[in-house]
Amino acid sequence: MTTHHEANWAPLWDTDDLAAFLKLPPKTLREWRHKGIGPAFKRMGKHVRYQPADVIDWIENGTDLAA
């Protein structure tokens, strides 16, 4: 079982990885970022990355999709 601490050091997900995990189109994630909703992400230059632990926290603690 992966602990929360270990999940913080898991490989980062790109938009396609997260879209596959959530079973959503990548376009939806881009729209969420534009609206300022959805799971936390980090910009690395022109690239967007998600920490799996942040995504799991976002799912477990409720989502902010009402915005």
Side-chain angles (χ1 to χ4, degrees):
M1 179 176 195
T2 302
T3 66
H4 180 73
H5 178 72
E6 291 168 342
N8 284 333
W9 294 103
L12 299 175
W13 291 342
D14 64 18
T15 300
D16 291 335
D17 295 329
L18 181 56
F21 177 76
L22 296 175
K23 296 183 178 16
L24 294 170
K27 180 181 177 185
T28 299
L29 297 174
R30 288 190 290 273
E31 289 171 0
W32 288 354
R33 287 195 307 266
H34 180 72
K35 292 178 180 179
I37 59 176
F41 64 92
K42 313 252 190 262
R43 288 206 180 269
M44 298 179 159
K46 66 179 182 174
H47 304 284
V48 172
R49 295 293 183 261
Y50 298 87
Q51 282 192 332
D54 290 343
V55 174
I56 292 165
D57 286 344
W58 175 75
I59 292 168
E60 289 178 349
N61 295 316
T63 60
D64 57 358
L65 299 181

